[in-house]
Amino acid sequence: MVPRFLLDSDLLLTIVVAKRNHYWDVGPMGRFVYAVNVSLDLRIEQVPGDDGAGEWIRIGEELHREFNARTQALALIVHGRVFYEIMEEYWPRAHEDASAPDFIREYGEIWTAKPKVLVSRTRRSADHNTRIIGGDDAIEQLAALRAETDGIIGVGGAALATQLLRAGLLDELLLTTHPAILGFGRPLFDDYEMPIELDLLEQRSFEQGVTMHHYAIRDAREG
């Protein structure tokens, strides 16, 4: 059985439908896209540290296959340490899990092979096609990464996404909303109380009442 908390942020990162509908003209600079499962009241976890393991998350085969396709199309993925360590615990060996359906095993192969960047002050090494960015100039390094990347950069982890938002580097949100109101728990961003103006790029509906909304952030800086 696949842990529910594994079916989360970087699975959602979007490019396939946007390319098909000409939403993006990425050009020579990459775009940071934060994608995450959320409740109707924009909570991403109910109990601290549960990392989206709650029963409120409803991910069926149709939605997961969409996650797979979008992740496959990314230029690279950037994770914070906590989120990366959740992902590396299961996905590199998911293809060996005979009890898992084929789309779960497929995602394990996609995530493991995809170029990744781990943002961490404490990790000194990482496997699975991952390099590490750390130190006091991590945001500057991420800005340079964005400038030199041709394509979409998936962002996994709320703490990292919040740092990028504060720096004006977060370009887009992809919110997969599940039909539940949690009432409490971790919000979409950590300790961020400023208004965020968005432009809707895409919306879709999936089984079990789940919806997906893809937004551009108006104040993201260019270059």
Side-chain angles (χ1 to χ4, degrees):
M1 180 177 178
V2 179
R4 293 177 63 86
F5 67 81
L6 298 176
L7 309 179
D8 204 350
S9 298
D10 68 300
L11 319 184
L12 317 180
L13 300 168
T14 186
I15 190 171
V16 175
V17 175
K19 270 191 168 183
R20 185 167 64 235
N21 293 303
H22 309 291
Y23 290 131
W24 285 332
D25 180 12
V26 175
M29 185 178 72
R31 297 181 70 78
F32 282 121
V33 181
Y34 173 37
V36 62
N37 291 307
V38 297
S39 63
L40 287 170
D41 52 346
L42 294 181
R43 304 291 175 175
I44 63 172
E45 58 184 41
Q46 191 170 43
V47 178
D50 73 4
D51 297 298
E55 293 301 315
W56 57 275
I57 292 180
R58 308 177 187 181
I59 300 178
E61 178 176 349
E62 177 193 17
L63 180 57
H64 207 297
R65 290 193 185 278
E66 183 72 12
F67 295 168
N68 290 12
R70 292 171 184 263
T71 304
Q72 180 65 67
L74 295 173
L76 59 93
I77 298 170
V78 177
H79 285 324
R81 180 188 60 80
V82 173
F83 192 82
Y84 179 87
E85 290 177 351
I86 291 169
M87 300 299 285
E88 73 172 343
E89 182 178 348
Y90 177 77
W91 289 115
R93 52 187 177 81
H95 68 282
E96 302 173 349
D97 186 353
S99 68
D102 67 303
F103 54 88
I104 294 292
R105 297 195 301 272
E106 178 186 62
Y107 183 79
E109 294 175 349
I110 293 169
W111 184 86
T112 303
K114 186 63 58 177
K116 291 176 288 296
V117 172
L118 167 59
V119 182
S120 174
R121 292 176 178 272
T122 57
R123 288 281 293 257
R124 296 293 177 263
S125 64
D127 297 322
H128 318 303
N129 201 13
T130 304
R131 64 187 177 99
I132 297 175
I133 283 178
D136 294 335
D137 64 342
I139 289 295
E140 287 77 10
Q141 293 182 64
L142 289 170
L145 179 71
R146 177 176 177 253
E148 69 191 22
T149 299
D150 183 7
I152 303 304
I153 306 169
V155 177
L160 174 60
T162 303
Q163 293 176 48
L164 292 170
L165 180 64
R166 291 183 183 281
L169 296 174
L170 191 61
D171 297 289
E172 295 166 15
L173 302 177
L174 186 67
L175 307 182
T176 298
T177 305
H178 300 260
I181 297 173
L182 301 186
F184 61 91
R186 189 176 187 180
L188 180 62
F189 294 106
D190 293 333
D191 299 319
Y192 192 88
E193 298 180 353
M194 298 294 292
I196 305 171
E197 291 194 51
L198 307 172
D199 291 315
L200 180 65
L201 301 179
E202 172 193 359
Q203 58 184 354
R204 295 190 61 187
S205 297
F206 294 88
E207 59 192 357
Q208 303 184 75
V210 177
T211 59
M212 180 181 289
H213 291 81
H214 172 206
Y215 299 97
I217 297 175
R218 287 190 175 182
D219 292 335
R221 79 186 197 209
E222 298 295 330

